[in-house]
PDB file of all heavy atoms in Angstrom:
ATOM      1  N   SER A 111     -47.897  43.048  39.955  1.00 78.00           N
ATOM      2  CA  SER A 111     -48.900  43.441  38.912  1.00 78.00           C
ATOM      3  C   SER A 111     -50.021  42.400  38.731  1.00 78.00           C
ATOM      4  O   SER A 111     -50.133  41.861  37.674  1.00 78.00           O
ATOM      5  CB  SER A 111     -48.179  43.808  37.592  1.00 78.00           C
ATOM      6  OG  SER A 111     -47.484  42.677  37.171  1.00 78.00           O
ATOM      7  N   PRO A 112     -50.686  42.028  39.782  1.00 71.00           N
ATOM      8  CA  PRO A 112     -51.725  40.998  39.603  1.00 71.00           C
ATOM      9  C   PRO A 112     -52.810  41.387  38.685  1.00 71.00           C
ATOM     10  O   PRO A 112     -53.511  40.547  38.088  1.00 71.00           O
ATOM     11  CB  PRO A 112     -52.247  40.844  41.046  1.00 71.00           C
ATOM     12  CG  PRO A 112     -51.938  42.062  41.780  1.00 71.00           C
ATOM     13  CD  PRO A 112     -50.665  42.558  41.116  1.00 71.00           C
ATOM     14  N   ASN A 113     -53.006  42.689  38.440  1.00 74.00           N
ATOM     15  CA  ASN A 113     -54.062  43.157  37.499  1.00 74.00           C
ATOM     16  C   ASN A 113     -53.686  42.820  36.063  1.00 74.00           C
ATOM     17  O   ASN A 113     -54.529  42.848  35.197  1.00 74.00           O
ATOM     18  CB  ASN A 113     -54.299  44.682  37.638  1.00 74.00           C
ATOM     19  CG  ASN A 113     -53.018  45.477  37.539  1.00 74.00           C
ATOM     20  OD1 ASN A 113     -51.971  44.980  37.912  1.00 74.00           O
ATOM     21  ND2 ASN A 113     -53.125  46.653  36.938  1.00 74.00           N
ATOM     22  N   PHE A 114     -52.407  42.409  35.836  1.00 78.00           N
ATOM     23  CA  PHE A 114     -52.063  41.953  34.448  1.00 78.00           C
ATOM     24  C   PHE A 114     -52.357  40.496  34.217  1.00 78.00           C
ATOM     25  O   PHE A 114     -52.245  39.971  33.148  1.00 78.00           O
ATOM     26  CB  PHE A 114     -50.588  42.201  34.266  1.00 78.00           C
ATOM     27  CG  PHE A 114     -50.184  43.607  34.037  1.00 78.00           C
ATOM     28  CD1 PHE A 114     -48.842  43.954  34.082  1.00 78.00           C
ATOM     29  CD2 PHE A 114     -51.123  44.627  33.772  1.00 78.00           C
ATOM     30  CE1 PHE A 114     -48.474  45.280  33.875  1.00 78.00           C
ATOM     31  CE2 PHE A 114     -50.731  45.966  33.655  1.00 78.00           C
ATOM     32  CZ  PHE A 114     -49.430  46.291  33.667  1.00 78.00           C
ATOM     33  N   ASN A 115     -52.695  39.757  35.290  1.00 79.00           N
ATOM     34  CA  ASN A 115     -52.966  38.323  35.141  1.00 79.00           C
ATOM     35  C   ASN A 115     -54.446  38.068  35.079  1.00 79.00           C
ATOM     36  O   ASN A 115     -55.194  38.262  36.031  1.00 79.00           O
ATOM     37  CB  ASN A 115     -52.350  37.588  36.377  1.00 79.00           C
ATOM     38  CG  ASN A 115     -52.267  36.086  36.082  1.00 79.00           C
ATOM     39  OD1 ASN A 115     -52.861  35.578  35.163  1.00 79.00           O
ATOM     40  ND2 ASN A 115     -51.497  35.416  36.856  1.00 79.00           N
ATOM     41  N   ALA A 116     -54.926  37.601  33.908  1.00 79.00           N
ATOM     42  CA  ALA A 116     -56.359  37.440  33.684  1.00 79.00           C
ATOM     43  C   ALA A 116     -56.982  36.308  34.508  1.00 79.00           C
ATOM     44  O   ALA A 116     -58.202  36.248  34.630  1.00 79.00           O
ATOM     45  CB  ALA A 116     -56.615  37.151  32.168  1.00 79.00           C
ATOM     46  N   ILE A 117     -56.146  35.515  35.154  1.00 85.00           N
ATOM     47  CA  ILE A 117     -56.726  34.471  35.998  1.00 85.00           C
ATOM     48  C   ILE A 117     -57.161  34.997  37.350  1.00 85.00           C
ATOM     49  O   ILE A 117     -58.000  34.398  38.020  1.00 85.00           O
ATOM     50  CB  ILE A 117     -55.717  33.305  36.232  1.00 85.00           C
ATOM     51  CG1 ILE A 117     -56.453  32.030  36.674  1.00 85.00           C
ATOM     52  CG2 ILE A 117     -54.586  33.701  37.159  1.00 85.00           C
ATOM     53  CD1 ILE A 117     -55.569  30.780  36.716  1.00 85.00           C
ATOM     54  N   GLU A 118     -56.703  36.186  37.773  1.00 84.00           N
ATOM     55  CA  GLU A 118     -57.032  36.717  39.107  1.00 84.00           C
ATOM     56  C   GLU A 118     -58.567  37.023  39.145  1.00 84.00           C
ATOM     57  O   GLU A 118     -59.228  36.651  40.169  1.00 84.00           O
ATOM     58  CB  GLU A 118     -56.258  37.973  39.390  1.00 84.00           C
ATOM     59  CG  GLU A 118     -54.746  37.669  39.596  1.00 84.00           C
ATOM     60  CD  GLU A 118     -54.420  36.705  40.658  1.00 84.00           C
ATOM     61  OE1 GLU A 118     -55.197  36.556  41.614  1.00 84.00           O
ATOM     62  OE2 GLU A 118     -53.370  36.005  40.524  1.00 84.00           O
ATOM     63  N   PRO A 119     -59.236  37.589  38.142  1.00 85.00           N
ATOM     64  CA  PRO A 119     -60.670  37.697  38.244  1.00 85.00           C
ATOM     65  C   PRO A 119     -61.412  36.380  38.309  1.00 85.00           C
ATOM     66  O   PRO A 119     -62.470  36.259  38.938  1.00 85.00           O
ATOM     67  CB  PRO A 119     -61.077  38.486  36.971  1.00 85.00           C
ATOM     68  CG  PRO A 119     -59.852  39.142  36.543  1.00 85.00           C
ATOM     69  CD  PRO A 119     -58.714  38.282  36.966  1.00 85.00           C
ATOM     70  N   LEU A 120     -60.800  35.380  37.696  1.00 87.00           N
ATOM     71  CA  LEU A 120     -61.427  34.030  37.746  1.00 87.00           C
ATOM     72  C   LEU A 120     -61.345  33.554  39.204  1.00 87.00           C
ATOM     73  O   LEU A 120     -62.358  32.971  39.698  1.00 87.00           O
ATOM     74  CB  LEU A 120     -60.610  33.102  36.826  1.00 87.00           C
ATOM     75  CG  LEU A 120     -61.296  31.780  36.536  1.00 87.00           C
ATOM     76  CD1 LEU A 120     -61.042  31.351  35.153  1.00 87.00           C
ATOM     77  CD2 LEU A 120     -60.830  30.688  37.481  1.00 87.00           C
ATOM     78  N   TRP A 121     -60.224  33.706  39.869  1.00 87.00           N
ATOM     79  CA  TRP A 121     -60.140  33.277  41.292  1.00 87.00           C
ATOM     80  C   TRP A 121     -61.142  34.080  42.161  1.00 87.00           C
ATOM     81  O   TRP A 121     -61.767  33.514  43.043  1.00 87.00           O
ATOM     82  CB  TRP A 121     -58.726  33.565  41.842  1.00 87.00           C
ATOM     83  CG  TRP A 121     -57.639  32.632  41.415  1.00 87.00           C
ATOM     84  CD1 TRP A 121     -56.462  33.040  40.870  1.00 87.00           C
ATOM     85  CD2 TRP A 121     -57.594  31.184  41.480  1.00 87.00           C
ATOM     86  NE1 TRP A 121     -55.703  31.931  40.583  1.00 87.00           N
ATOM     87  CE2 TRP A 121     -56.361  30.796  40.892  1.00 87.00           C
ATOM     88  CE3 TRP A 121     -58.514  30.207  41.856  1.00 87.00           C
ATOM     89  CZ2 TRP A 121     -55.986  29.468  40.819  1.00 87.00           C
ATOM     90  CZ3 TRP A 121     -58.137  28.914  41.743  1.00 87.00           C
ATOM     91  CH2 TRP A 121     -56.863  28.531  41.235  1.00 87.00           C
ATOM     92  N   LYS A 122     -61.289  35.331  41.868  1.00 86.00           N
ATOM     93  CA  LYS A 122     -62.255  36.169  42.632  1.00 86.00           C
ATOM     94  C   LYS A 122     -63.703  35.659  42.447  1.00 86.00           C
ATOM     95  O   LYS A 122     -64.461  35.513  43.400  1.00 86.00           O
ATOM     96  CB  LYS A 122     -62.117  37.617  42.173  1.00 86.00           C
ATOM     97  CG  LYS A 122     -62.994  38.610  42.964  1.00 86.00           C
ATOM     98  CD  LYS A 122     -62.733  40.018  42.537  1.00 86.00           C
ATOM     99  CE  LYS A 122     -63.552  40.966  43.346  1.00 86.00           C
ATOM    100  NZ  LYS A 122     -63.335  42.323  42.887  1.00 86.00           N
ATOM    101  N   THR A 123     -64.056  35.340  41.208  1.00 89.00           N
ATOM    102  CA  THR A 123     -65.363  34.773  40.948  1.00 89.00           C
ATOM    103  C   THR A 123     -65.569  33.444  41.642  1.00 89.00           C
ATOM    104  O   THR A 123     -66.617  33.154  42.186  1.00 89.00           O
ATOM    105  CB  THR A 123     -65.565  34.675  39.404  1.00 89.00           C
ATOM    106  OG1 THR A 123     -65.437  35.937  38.842  1.00 89.00           O
ATOM    107  CG2 THR A 123     -66.939  34.069  39.088  1.00 89.00           C
ATOM    108  N   LEU A 124     -64.530  32.621  41.605  1.00 89.00           N
ATOM    109  CA  LEU A 124     -64.612  31.297  42.274  1.00 89.00           C
ATOM    110  C   LEU A 124     -64.846  31.472  43.739  1.00 89.00           C
ATOM    111  O   LEU A 124     -65.762  30.832  44.331  1.00 89.00           O
ATOM    112  CB  LEU A 124     -63.287  30.461  42.032  1.00 89.00           C
ATOM    113  CG  LEU A 124     -63.183  29.205  42.776  1.00 89.00           C
ATOM    114  CD1 LEU A 124     -64.230  28.176  42.310  1.00 89.00           C
ATOM    115  CD2 LEU A 124     -61.793  28.581  42.726  1.00 89.00           C
TER     116      LEU A 124
END
Side-chain angles (χ1 to χ4, degrees):
S111 57
N113 54 327
F114 287 168
N115 196 343
I117 198 172
E118 295 302 331
L120 192 145
W121 287 128
K122 185 176 181 180
T123 300
L124 174 67

